[in-house]
Every structure is written in C-alpha cells, then in structure tokens.
Amino acid sequence: MPFSAILDQALDRSVVLGFSRIGPLLRRGWWPPDPAPGSLSGSVVAVTGANSGLGKATAAGAARLGAQVRMLCRSVERGAQARAEILRELPDADLHVDRCDVSDLASLPEVADALRAVTPRVRALVHNAGVMPPERAETPAGLELTLATHVLGPHLLTHLLRAPLADDGAGRVVFVASGGMYTQRLRMDDPEYTEGEYSPPVAYARTKRMQVHLAESWARELAAERVSVHSMHPGWADTPGVQTSLPGFRKLTGPFLRSAEEGADTTVWLLAAEEGARTSGLFWHDRAPRRTSYLSRTAPTPGEVDELWRFCVDETGVPPRFP
Ligand SMILES: NC(=O)c1ccc[n+]([C@@H]2O[C@H](COP(=O)([O-])OP(=O)(O)OC[C@H]3O[C@@H](n4cnc5c(N)ncnc54)[C@H](OP(=O)(O)O)[C@@H]3O)[C@@H](O)[C@H]2O)c1
C-alpha cells in the first residue's frame, strides 16, 4: 500500500486530524486533480441552502467552473445578498436565486416546475440545506424538522427533478451529509425522534446517516437513467451554521476548522470530475470514497436501508415504483 494511502487512512481514523483543515492540507498532495477550468460550462447546478457557509461556497465553486447556478434559498433576500457577495469575487458568475424551503414538501412541486421552466437539463442537484434546531421542532405540516430538511425534502426534490437530471446525460445528485453520522445507526423504529430525550446533535446525526443510505437507494433507482448519486461529508468547516449551532465546539476547534471552500471542495469536485459520473452510491470525503460505518453497531442491514426507502416513498408518495 502506498504511503499516501496509509497516511490518508490514519487521518480518517484519527477523526480530529482528518476532519480538520489538516485533512485537505495533506491530502491535496495526492488527491485527484482539480476539474478543468470551464468543465461546467453550459451546465446548470442547483444548490439548496446556497446563501450561507458550504452552500454559498459550493455555488461559487460551481460558478467558477462555468456553471449556471440556481441558488435555492428559503429567503430570497438572504440569497440575493449571498449572490451579490459571490459576484464581487466572480463578476462573470451566472447566479440566480430561486425561493425554496426544502422542508416544506407541499411547495416543492412549484419549485421544480419553476426550475424546469427555465432549463430543460440539470447537471447537478446539491442537497446542502441543513439545520440543527436547539429543540425538537416540526414543520407546519407536522414533520420533524431535521427529517424534513435533510431527508424527506431532498427525497421529493430528487424525484421532481429526475427528468432534467436524466436529460443532462451526466446528471449528479450530491447529499451533503456529516461525519457526525458515524455516531448513529439508522433508527427506522423512530424516524421522527419521538422517543427519549431530544438531543440536537443526535437528531442531526441520525438524519445525516439517513442521507447516506438514501443516496445509496437513489443511486440504484437512477442507474438506468445514468444519473449518479453521491453522499459526502465536508469535515469540520467554519460556517455561520457552526457558529450558531455549535459555539462551544467552534471555540475548542477554531484554529483547526476548514474554510467553507475546503468543506465544499469534494462536492464541487464531484459535480465536475469524471469520477462523479463514473461512480454512484458512494460516501465521499476529501475526494475519496469512505466507509459508511466503522462500528458494527452503526452499520445498517440491507433490510433497514430498504425500510428507509419505503418510509420516504410512503411519506412523500414518490417515486411510485421500487425496485
Ligand atoms: N460546517 C460544517 O462543519 C459541516 C459539517 C458537516 C456537515 N455540514 C453540513 O453542511 C451543510 C451546510 O452547513 P453549513 O455549515 O454551511 O451551515 P449554514 O451556514 O447554517 O448553512 C445552512 C444553509 O441551509 C439553509 N437552510 C436551512 N434550512 C433550509 C430549508 N428548509 N430550506 C432551504 N434552505 C435551508 C440555510 O438557510 P438560512 O440562511 O435561511 O437559514 C443556510 O443557507 C448542512 O447540511 C450541514 O449539515 C456542515
């Protein structure tokens, strides 16, 4: 095994080193090359939660490679502000802000219709929007908020944009999960976290694990349409979300946190690199596929992964067929 592979694994197992800014600092010495300039020219990339942190960095990264970026934001005002900030750096960027609250499932058909009205093809859909509410919260429709934002909304939106993703010919879906998911197993017995004392990081990590295994199912579902589906984790990046939801963690890890750009790097790379089309259903970090569990107690059975899929289908009504 080459020394770089041994070091890469050691970084991963140490967690702190691999997830921190040390991860990309070392790994860029051996990771695959950057996408070619202009490699997303003529492509449309849609990013949820694109007005802040990693989503904003993903929007900028895709625009830098020539994509037209649809910034799907729940506040068009915050979206417009982020767009203006990116344009100061990249005056030629092709950025558009579209209203989208991904946790509001009833509104998503309208979001998808609006997108399809402006473009017949979508190269990539990035499920980046994320939340860690301090207390258990529900959407107006009565869905637990992290489940709606990280799992059910992305599930429905993927289905609604299935045709434009397939029409691209090299379509990709990326779920921005979290390394926090390593701490939790799939909890299909209590997907809406109704039992036991609510813990924000646990709720967050449970739904992030769901994203990883939902991506595996979507990869199978979309294989015939040549749409690749990936999940990834960004490591630990200094973003407004971390500043607000995890101030203690940020204080502790501050100097070691990645920049938002470093956190978004693998997502942007997957959108443009050949590996992003050639592979599907994998979980990525720092431009390499990673294990989805290190402990047997957190590894789901195939039955549990299917159960997650059926749960999403039942809750959203789509897609109407599987497998
Ligand atoms: N930063 C890290 O170290 C880290 C680590 C692991 C995973 N992640 C994941 O990376 C993603 C981005 O996180 P971040 O750190 O960049 O956090 P952030 O700065 O808080 O950004 C989160 C974005 O999601 C948007 N959002 C939340 N709920 C939404 C909804 N219902 N519909 C549409 N947009 C919504 C937010 O919009 P508003 O501005 O309107 O609130 C914001 O734009 C999340 O999925 C997070 O779980 C981050």
Side-chain angles (χ1 to χ4, degrees), residues 222-247:
L222 295 177
E225 285 145 83
R226 294 169 46 128
V227 176
S228 299
V229 185
H230 309 280
S231 60
M232 61 78 68
H233 85 84
W236 296 330
D238 196 7
T239 62
V242 167
Q243 288 155 28
T244 312
S245 302
L246 297 168

mmCIF file of all heavy atoms in Angstrom, residues 222-247:
data_model
loop_
_atom_site.group_PDB
_atom_site.id
_atom_site.type_symbol
_atom_site.label_atom_id
_atom_site.label_comp_id
_atom_site.label_asym_id
_atom_site.label_seq_id
_atom_site.Cartn_x
_atom_site.Cartn_y
_atom_site.Cartn_z
ATOM 1 N N LEU A 222 -31.694 5.439 -9.932
ATOM 2 C CA LEU A 222 -31.408 6.292 -11.098
ATOM 3 C C LEU A 222 -30.328 5.731 -12.019
ATOM 4 O O LEU A 222 -29.973 6.382 -13.015
ATOM 5 C CB LEU A 222 -30.998 7.701 -10.626
ATOM 6 C CG LEU A 222 -32.101 8.492 -9.908
ATOM 7 C CD1 LEU A 222 -31.569 9.840 -9.425
ATOM 8 C CD2 LEU A 222 -33.312 8.720 -10.814
ATOM 9 N N ALA A 223 -29.846 4.537 -11.718
ATOM 10 C CA ALA A 223 -28.735 3.980 -12.510
ATOM 11 C C ALA A 223 -29.095 3.889 -13.991
ATOM 12 O O ALA A 223 -28.284 4.254 -14.864
ATOM 13 C CB ALA A 223 -28.340 2.612 -11.970
ATOM 14 N N ALA A 224 -30.294 3.417 -14.284
ATOM 15 C CA ALA A 224 -30.671 3.229 -15.688
ATOM 16 C C ALA A 224 -30.767 4.561 -16.426
ATOM 17 O O ALA A 224 -30.665 4.608 -17.655
ATOM 18 C CB ALA A 224 -32.008 2.493 -15.775
ATOM 19 N N GLU A 225 -30.974 5.634 -15.659
ATOM 20 C CA GLU A 225 -31.063 6.966 -16.288
ATOM 21 C C GLU A 225 -29.710 7.664 -16.311
ATOM 22 O O GLU A 225 -29.620 8.834 -16.672
ATOM 23 C CB GLU A 225 -32.097 7.816 -15.532
ATOM 24 C CG GLU A 225 -33.507 7.403 -15.859
ATOM 25 C CD GLU A 225 -34.459 7.528 -14.674
ATOM 26 O OE1 GLU A 225 -34.948 8.626 -14.433
ATOM 27 O OE2 GLU A 225 -34.691 6.505 -13.994
ATOM 28 N N ARG A 226 -28.674 6.945 -15.918
ATOM 29 C CA ARG A 226 -27.302 7.467 -15.924
ATOM 30 C C ARG A 226 -27.158 8.748 -15.103
ATOM 31 O O ARG A 226 -26.442 9.683 -15.477
ATOM 32 C CB ARG A 226 -26.818 7.681 -17.356
ATOM 33 C CG ARG A 226 -26.694 6.352 -18.118
ATOM 34 C CD ARG A 226 -26.492 6.595 -19.566
ATOM 35 N NE ARG A 226 -25.475 7.622 -19.747
ATOM 36 C CZ ARG A 226 -24.430 7.491 -20.517
ATOM 37 N NH1 ARG A 226 -24.247 6.386 -21.171
ATOM 38 N NH2 ARG A 226 -23.568 8.457 -20.651
ATOM 39 N N VAL A 227 -27.875 8.747 -13.985
ATOM 40 C CA VAL A 227 -27.695 9.840 -13.022
ATOM 41 C C VAL A 227 -26.949 9.246 -11.825
ATOM 42 O O VAL A 227 -27.381 8.244 -11.254
ATOM 43 C CB VAL A 227 -29.049 10.427 -12.559
ATOM 44 C CG1 VAL A 227 -28.834 11.495 -11.486
ATOM 45 C CG2 VAL A 227 -29.822 11.007 -13.742
ATOM 46 N N SER A 228 -25.822 9.850 -11.478
ATOM 47 C CA SER A 228 -25.035 9.376 -10.336
ATOM 48 C C SER A 228 -25.512 10.057 -9.062
ATOM 49 O O SER A 228 -25.861 11.246 -9.087
ATOM 50 C CB SER A 228 -23.561 9.705 -10.530
ATOM 51 O OG SER A 228 -23.077 9.065 -11.674
ATOM 52 N N VAL A 229 -25.484 9.314 -7.991
ATOM 53 C CA VAL A 229 -25.914 9.886 -6.708
ATOM 54 C C VAL A 229 -24.812 9.638 -5.683
ATOM 55 O O VAL A 229 -24.344 8.504 -5.524
ATOM 56 C CB VAL A 229 -27.241 9.251 -6.240
ATOM 57 C CG1 VAL A 229 -27.730 9.946 -4.973
ATOM 58 C CG2 VAL A 229 -28.295 9.333 -7.338
ATOM 59 N N HIS A 230 -24.425 10.699 -5.002
ATOM 60 C CA HIS A 230 -23.321 10.607 -4.035
ATOM 61 C C HIS A 230 -23.750 11.203 -2.705
ATOM 62 O O HIS A 230 -24.605 12.092 -2.659
ATOM 63 C CB HIS A 230 -22.110 11.420 -4.514
ATOM 64 C CG HIS A 230 -21.697 11.099 -5.922
ATOM 65 N ND1 HIS A 230 -20.951 9.993 -6.234
ATOM 66 C CD2 HIS A 230 -21.937 11.731 -7.101
ATOM 67 C CE1 HIS A 230 -20.735 9.955 -7.535
ATOM 68 N NE2 HIS A 230 -21.333 11.000 -8.085
ATOM 69 N N SER A 231 -23.103 10.735 -1.651
ATOM 70 C CA SER A 231 -23.153 11.490 -0.402
ATOM 71 C C SER A 231 -21.709 11.822 -0.048
ATOM 72 O O SER A 231 -20.777 11.189 -0.548
ATOM 73 C CB SER A 231 -23.835 10.686 0.711
ATOM 74 O OG SER A 231 -23.138 9.482 0.956
ATOM 75 N N MET A 232 -21.564 12.830 0.762
ATOM 76 C CA MET A 232 -20.198 13.232 1.153
ATOM 77 C C MET A 232 -20.262 13.843 2.543
ATOM 78 O O MET A 232 -21.339 14.201 3.017
ATOM 79 C CB MET A 232 -19.598 14.237 0.150
ATOM 80 C CG MET A 232 -20.319 15.548 -0.027
ATOM 81 S SD MET A 232 -20.066 16.786 1.278
ATOM 82 C CE MET A 232 -18.350 17.231 1.066
ATOM 83 N N HIS A 233 -19.109 13.934 3.188
ATOM 84 C CA HIS A 233 -19.077 14.768 4.398
ATOM 85 C C HIS A 233 -17.927 15.749 4.285
ATOM 86 O O HIS A 233 -16.852 15.419 3.751
ATOM 87 C CB HIS A 233 -19.070 13.931 5.676
ATOM 88 C CG HIS A 233 -17.743 13.453 6.155
ATOM 89 N ND1 HIS A 233 -16.912 14.226 6.936
ATOM 90 C CD2 HIS A 233 -17.103 12.273 5.989
ATOM 91 C CE1 HIS A 233 -15.827 13.535 7.229
ATOM 92 N NE2 HIS A 233 -15.906 12.349 6.663
ATOM 93 N N PRO A 234 -18.202 16.983 4.738
ATOM 94 C CA PRO A 234 -17.237 18.064 4.496
ATOM 95 C C PRO A 234 -16.131 18.183 5.521
ATOM 96 O O PRO A 234 -15.260 19.038 5.377
ATOM 97 C CB PRO A 234 -18.135 19.316 4.539
ATOM 98 C CG PRO A 234 -19.315 18.935 5.367
ATOM 99 C CD PRO A 234 -19.477 17.457 5.294
ATOM 100 N N GLY A 235 -16.130 17.324 6.551
ATOM 101 C CA GLY A 235 -15.207 17.564 7.664
ATOM 102 C C GLY A 235 -15.795 18.650 8.550
ATOM 103 O O GLY A 235 -17.017 18.831 8.594
ATOM 104 N N TRP A 236 -14.927 19.386 9.239
ATOM 105 C CA TRP A 236 -15.380 20.452 10.130
ATOM 106 C C TRP A 236 -14.986 21.787 9.519
ATOM 107 O O TRP A 236 -13.793 22.103 9.405
ATOM 108 C CB TRP A 236 -14.713 20.333 11.494
ATOM 109 C CG TRP A 236 -15.066 19.068 12.237
ATOM 110 C CD1 TRP A 236 -16.229 18.345 12.157
ATOM 111 C CD2 TRP A 236 -14.249 18.393 13.208
ATOM 112 N NE1 TRP A 236 -16.190 17.279 13.001
ATOM 113 C CE2 TRP A 236 -14.988 17.281 13.665
ATOM 114 C CE3 TRP A 236 -12.980 18.626 13.730
ATOM 115 C CZ2 TRP A 236 -14.484 16.396 14.614
ATOM 116 C CZ3 TRP A 236 -12.486 17.736 14.677
ATOM 117 C CH2 TRP A 236 -13.231 16.645 15.115
ATOM 118 N N ALA A 237 -15.991 22.553 9.113
ATOM 119 C CA ALA A 237 -15.714 23.834 8.453
ATOM 120 C C ALA A 237 -16.339 24.984 9.247
ATOM 121 O O ALA A 237 -17.419 24.836 9.835
ATOM 122 C CB ALA A 237 -16.275 23.811 7.034
ATOM 123 N N ASP A 238 -15.652 26.100 9.236
ATOM 124 C CA ASP A 238 -16.128 27.277 9.974
ATOM 125 C C ASP A 238 -17.187 27.994 9.142
ATOM 126 O O ASP A 238 -16.864 28.669 8.163
ATOM 127 C CB ASP A 238 -14.941 28.211 10.253
ATOM 128 C CG ASP A 238 -15.290 29.229 11.325
ATOM 129 O OD1 ASP A 238 -16.387 29.118 11.920
ATOM 130 O OD2 ASP A 238 -14.472 30.130 11.567
ATOM 131 N N THR A 239 -18.431 27.820 9.512
ATOM 132 C CA THR A 239 -19.546 28.420 8.765
ATOM 133 C C THR A 239 -20.489 29.098 9.758
ATOM 134 O O THR A 239 -20.432 28.812 10.967
ATOM 135 C CB THR A 239 -20.347 27.337 8.025
ATOM 136 O OG1 THR A 239 -20.903 26.439 9.019
ATOM 137 C CG2 THR A 239 -19.485 26.530 7.054
ATOM 138 N N PRO A 240 -21.395 29.949 9.263
ATOM 139 C CA PRO A 240 -22.388 30.539 10.169
ATOM 140 C C PRO A 240 -23.179 29.466 10.931
ATOM 141 O O PRO A 240 -23.527 29.655 12.092
ATOM 142 C CB PRO A 240 -23.288 31.341 9.221
ATOM 143 C CG PRO A 240 -22.372 31.718 8.098
ATOM 144 C CD PRO A 240 -21.456 30.539 7.912
ATOM 145 N N GLY A 241 -23.429 28.330 10.281
ATOM 146 C CA GLY A 241 -24.175 27.264 10.949
ATOM 147 C C GLY A 241 -23.433 26.736 12.170
ATOM 148 O O GLY A 241 -24.024 26.522 13.234
ATOM 149 N N VAL A 242 -22.139 26.524 12.031
ATOM 150 C CA VAL A 242 -21.342 26.036 13.164
ATOM 151 C C VAL A 242 -21.251 27.130 14.231
ATOM 152 O O VAL A 242 -21.354 26.857 15.435
ATOM 153 C CB VAL A 242 -19.939 25.591 12.679
ATOM 154 C CG1 VAL A 242 -18.987 25.373 13.839
ATOM 155 C CG2 VAL A 242 -20.057 24.309 11.849
ATOM 156 N N GLN A 243 -21.096 28.373 13.791
ATOM 157 C CA GLN A 243 -21.006 29.479 14.749
ATOM 158 C C GLN A 243 -22.270 29.555 15.608
ATOM 159 O O GLN A 243 -22.213 29.788 16.810
ATOM 160 C CB GLN A 243 -20.779 30.799 14.012
ATOM 161 C CG GLN A 243 -19.370 30.912 13.427
ATOM 162 C CD GLN A 243 -19.298 31.861 12.232
ATOM 163 O OE1 GLN A 243 -20.082 32.804 12.115
ATOM 164 N NE2 GLN A 243 -18.366 31.603 11.323
ATOM 165 N N THR A 244 -23.441 29.334 14.987
ATOM 166 C CA THR A 244 -24.708 29.465 15.707
ATOM 167 C C THR A 244 -25.056 28.215 16.504
ATOM 168 O O THR A 244 -25.450 28.304 17.661
ATOM 169 C CB THR A 244 -25.863 29.725 14.691
ATOM 170 O OG1 THR A 244 -25.451 30.746 13.814
ATOM 171 C CG2 THR A 244 -27.148 30.111 15.378
ATOM 172 N N SER A 245 -24.907 27.043 15.866
ATOM 173 C CA SER A 245 -25.411 25.817 16.499
ATOM 174 C C SER A 245 -24.396 25.161 17.423
ATOM 175 O O SER A 245 -24.781 24.448 18.342
ATOM 176 C CB SER A 245 -25.812 24.794 15.428
ATOM 177 O OG SER A 245 -26.779 25.323 14.585
ATOM 178 N N LEU A 246 -23.103 25.383 17.177
ATOM 179 C CA LEU A 246 -22.086 24.683 17.967
ATOM 180 C C LEU A 246 -21.001 25.662 18.448
ATOM 181 O O LEU A 246 -19.809 25.472 18.161
ATOM 182 C CB LEU A 246 -21.438 23.583 17.108
ATOM 183 C CG LEU A 246 -22.346 22.443 16.622
ATOM 184 C CD1 LEU A 246 -21.645 21.611 15.550
ATOM 185 C CD2 LEU A 246 -22.765 21.551 17.784
ATOM 186 N N PRO A 247 -21.387 26.706 19.209
ATOM 187 C CA PRO A 247 -20.369 27.702 19.608
ATOM 188 C C PRO A 247 -19.261 27.105 20.464
ATOM 189 O O PRO A 247 -18.098 27.492 20.323
ATOM 190 C CB PRO A 247 -21.188 28.758 20.369
ATOM 191 C CG PRO A 247 -22.486 28.107 20.707
ATOM 192 C CD PRO A 247 -22.731 27.043 19.697
#
